[in-house]
Amino acid sequence: AQSVTQPDIHITVSEGASLELRCNYSYGATPYLFWYVQSPGQGLQLLLKYFSGDTLVQGIKGFEAEFKRSQSSFNLRKPSVHWSDAAEYFCAVALYSSASKIIFGSGTRLSIRP
Amino acid sequence: EPEVTQTPSHQVTQMGQEVILRCVPISNHLYFYWYRQILGQKVEFLVSFYNNEISEKSEIFDDQFSVERPDGSNFTLKIRSTKLEDSAMYFCASRSGDLANQPQHFGDGTRLSIL
C-alpha cells in the first residue's frame, strides 16, 4: 500500500542550529514529493516539491530537500533555523495522474529552543 | 498571488444538522479536492473533483458527504446529519491541469466543531 512515513513525531532544536526532518515513502514507482508546513491554526503552505531532475531541491524560507531513490527518502533540511520555523511539517507524495490525490505523512512538530 | 479561499473559518453545528463548507478555488484551476484533518492527526484525502464529477473518493467519503460546483467559482462540501467525529479541520485545494508544473494549493481551512 502507498504510504509516507515521518519517523520523528516531535523535534526540538536550538535557534541557529541545523535541522533535518526525515521522510520515507513506499510506492511502486517514484512519486511526486512535497513538503508542506502548517503553523498553528493555519493552512498548509508548500515549502518545496520534487518532480524530476536535480535531486536537491530548494524551497522557500531557506529550506531544501534531497531525494534519494535508493533509500526512498526525501529529507528536509535547513542549515540554520529561526524561531519562526516552529511549526508542523508534513511530507507528502502524489502519483502522477490526471486527478492525483496527495497522501500526507503524520507530520513532525518542530520546536525551537531559544 | 492567487489563493484558495474557504468560508467560514470556523463553523459550529449541532449534531445531526447539515453543514455546507464553501471554497473558492483559484480561478484557472481545473482539479479540486477536499481533505480533512482531525485534531492532532494527519491530513487525509476525502475527494477529488474534475469536469463536474468525482474523480476519486476515500473510504471516509461515504453517503453522508457530497460535493458540488454550483457555479463557475464555488466548490462546496456538504455533510448531512453530522456526527461528533466529523469535528475536524477541512481543507480545500485546487490545481491546474498539469501536476508537473502546478502542485495543489490549499486554503486556510474551515474548522468544523460538532456539538
Side-chain angles (χ1 to χ4, degrees):
Chain A
Q2 306 156 357
S3 67
V4 182
T5 302
Q6 293 181 248
D8 303 307
I9 297 173
H10 184 201
I11 285 181
T12 300
V13 299
S14 298
E15 189 169 17
S18 63
L19 170 70
E20 182 168 24
L21 302 182
R22 296 182 291 166
C23 173
N24 292 93
Y25 64 89
S26 174
Y27 260 107
T30 299
Y32 295 115
L33 298 157
F34 311 88
W35 276 97
Y36 285 86
V37 60
Q38 183 183 34
S39 297
Q42 301 298 310
L44 296 159
Q45 182 181 24
L46 180 68
L47 282 176
L48 47 76
K49 60 185 184 290
Y50 173 78
F51 292 132
S52 64
D54 192 346
T55 56
L56 184 64
V57 294
Q58 303 296 320
I60 62 171
K61 304 184 180 187
F63 286 92
E64 67 178 26
E66 185 172 13
F67 168 61
K68 292 186 177 180
R69 186 189 305 273
S70 62
Q71 299 176 18
S72 297
S73 69
F74 189 57
N75 293 348
L76 181 72
R77 301 195 293 249
K78 186 169 184 177
S80 176
V81 297
H82 186 261
W83 65 266
S84 60
D85 294 325
E88 188 92 16
Y89 290 81
F90 293 95
C91 181
V93 304
L95 280 182
Y96 181 78
S97 71
S98 59
S100 181
K101 64 188 178 189
I102 287 180
I103 297 175
F104 287 85
S106 54
T108 296
R109 184 161 61 92
L110 175 64
S111 298
I112 307 298
R113 190 183 302 117
Chain B
E1 184 176 331
E3 294 181 341
V4 175
T5 57
Q6 291 186 242
T7 56
S9 57
H10 190 193
Q11 174 78 46
V12 181
T13 301
Q14 291 290 328
M15 184 173 59
Q17 297 296 306
E18 174 182 287
V19 65
I20 297 176
L21 309 182
R22 304 182 189 279
C23 170
V24 179
I26 296 173
S27 63
N28 64 340
H29 284 191
L30 302 176
Y31 298 88
F32 313 109
Y33 306 82
W34 283 101
Y35 293 81
R36 178 182 81 175
Q37 184 183 31
I38 295 172
L39 185 64
Q41 298 185 23
K42 67 180 179 181
V43 179
E44 302 172 289
F45 168 78
L46 290 178
V47 65
S48 59
F49 191 86
Y50 170 71
N51 200 25
N52 287 319
E53 61 183 21
I54 290 174
S55 305
E56 184 178 359
K57 58 184 180 180
S58 71
E59 294 175 352
I60 303 168
F61 195 89
D62 58 22
D63 292 342
Q64 183 194 8
F65 294 87
S66 62
V67 290
E68 191 178 30
R69 189 157 162 80
D71 52 42
S73 60
N74 291 284
F75 179 51
T76 62
L77 174 68
K78 181 188 292 185
I79 309 175
R80 288 179 284 273
S81 188
T82 50
K83 305 188 285 270
L84 293 176
E85 53 264 39
D86 295 326
S87 295
M89 182 75 90
Y90 289 81
F91 291 104
C92 173
S94 71
R95 69 173 178 87
S96 66
D98 185 348
L99 180 62
N101 292 323
Q102 295 292 336
Q104 293 181 28
H105 294 260
F106 286 80
D108 285 340
T110 293
R111 180 169 299 283
L112 177 63
S113 298
I114 306 299
L115 303 179

